[in-house]
Each structure stands twice: as structure tokens, then as C-alpha cells.
Amino acid sequence: GKLTAAAGYTAGPGISIGSGSSSGLVQGNWIGLNSAASIVSNAGAGIDISGASGWIIGGTNSGARNIIGGNGSEGIYSFAGDNLVIQGNTIGVDGGGFAKPNLSGISIQSGTNVLIGGNTAGARNYLSGNAQVGLIVQNGRDIRIQGNHIGPSPTGGYASNVSYGIRIIGGANVTVGGTNFNEGNVIS
């Protein structure tokens, strides 16, 4: 079944995945929006991953996509999250391509071995229409950002992020794009 992770205003994140949680899935949800794409908001992040490992957020088939918008903080926030896969999500716009901004799209803080996107069309995240940065990595290690559309919406229009498309502060072994087919990001 589908989860709408905000039936009304919540004071924290829509979904909180805490330390010690491992190997789970967050798929097919409307987070910060209802299924009619109206903002119902969470004060915090849409999804907050703190100290958890092995989680998959979204996926490569269309039913796994999370639509995340209208949250008071990041669409997806991870602090010290390891071995994460974030794929196929629409963050900052609704399914119709209309801006439903989060503060920022995705924020990875001090995580290791994180894949954001991938080299297939189904792995592509849409990070568009956010009030600040599309994607920020701070002090992350072994992070791959590949095949995402940052600015373009799923419908082919544009709902640019207000500030940076991608911002990297510190960290080691961070890869943006790649030389293989579909690994490049579209940033506009």
C-alpha cells in the first residue's frame, strides 16, 4: 500500500529512520504532499535518516518512486547514514512537474557509500523547485551522484532550485557524473 506521510502538519520529519535501523525500504510514498499534490507539510525533513545503514529510498521502477515536497527542511536528510541508495524519487516538484519546494532537495552529512541516482532512467532522481540547494554533500565519503535531473522536472519543464544545483563541502571520493552511459547529471 501507499503511505501519505503527512495527513496534516507534523512537527518533525515525515519519516524518521534512526540509529540502529538497517536494510529497509521507503517506496511509493507521498511525503509532505497528499495524493492530490496539495502541500500538507512536515516541519522537518520529508525523510530523516540518522545513523542508519543499508536503506533504499525509492527504486528503479515507477511504483517505487517517492514524491517528496513542501517540507520545512530537506526532502531527504541523512546524517551519518551509510550504504544508502536514493533512486527514482521526485523531490521538490509534484508528479505533474509543479514546484512544491522543500528547503533543499537532498542533504548528505557525514555519510559513506551513498548512491544518489544511477545509470538507468529509472534510477534518475528529479531534484527541482527547492527553495535552496538541489543536493548538498558535506563531509561525505564514497558518494556517487549519477544520472539525476537537477532543475528539469519529470514532465520536461523546469522548476530550478533557487541556489546551487549540487554543492559539495568537504568529503572524500565524491563522484559527480561519470563516463559510462547515463551517468552524467543534467543540471540547469
Side-chain angles (χ1 to χ4, degrees), residues 15 25-31 47 49 55-69 75-76 84-95 102 105-106 115-118 120-128 130 147-150 152-154:
I15 297 174
L25 302 170
V26 178
Q27 297 180 324
N29 303 295
W30 292 78
I31 303 169
I47 301 172
I49 306 162
W55 281 78
I56 298 172
I57 309 299
T60 58
N61 70 56
S62 62
R65 172 181 65 167
N66 295 293
I67 300 175
I68 306 168
I76 299 173
L84 304 176
V85 175
I86 301 171
Q87 295 181 320
N89 300 290
T90 299
I91 303 169
V93 293
D94 63 22
N102 302 290
I106 297 175
L115 172 61
I116 302 167
T120 66
R124 176 181 305 135
N125 293 293
Y126 288 92
L127 299 153
S128 307
N130 293 292
N148 300 290
H149 281 197
I150 302 170
S153 75

Side-chain angles (χ1 to χ4, degrees), residues 160-174:
S160 294
N161 300 291
V162 175
S163 186
Y164 304 94
I166 297 174
R167 184 162 192 214
I168 299 168
I169 304 168
N173 198 25
V174 177

Side-chain angles (χ1 to χ4, degrees), residues 129-187:
N130 293 292
Q132 291 184 1
V133 180
L135 192 155
I136 185 168
V137 175
Q138 187 167 1
N139 300 319
R141 194 174 74 238
D142 300 320
I143 310 292
R144 290 180 294 146
I145 303 165
Q146 299 176 323
N148 300 290
H149 281 197
I150 302 170
S153 75
T155 59
Y158 288 87
S160 294
N161 300 291
V162 175
S163 186
Y164 304 94
I166 297 174
R167 184 162 192 214
I168 299 168
I169 304 168
N173 198 25
V174 177
T175 302
V176 178
T179 58
N180 294 319
F181 185 72
N182 281 338
E183 288 181 343
N185 299 284
V186 175
I187 305 168

Side-chain angles (χ1 to χ4, degrees), residues 18-111:
S19 181
S21 301
S22 63
S23 302
L25 302 170
V26 178
Q27 297 180 324
N29 303 295
W30 292 78
I31 303 169
L33 305 169
N34 62 25
S35 59
S38 297
I39 295 175
V40 289
S41 195
N42 299 295
I47 301 172
D48 184 315
I49 306 162
S50 294
S53 178
W55 281 78
I56 298 172
I57 309 299
T60 58
N61 70 56
S62 62
R65 172 181 65 167
N66 295 293
I67 300 175
I68 306 168
N71 295 288
S73 188
E74 295 84 356
I76 299 173
Y77 173 79
S78 174
F79 178 78
D82 299 326
N83 305 311
L84 304 176
V85 175
I86 301 171
Q87 295 181 320
N89 300 290
T90 299
I91 303 169
V93 293
D94 63 22
F98 296 100
K100 305 292 181 177
N102 302 290
L103 185 62
S104 292
I106 297 175
S107 178
I108 304 295
Q109 309 285 322
S110 303

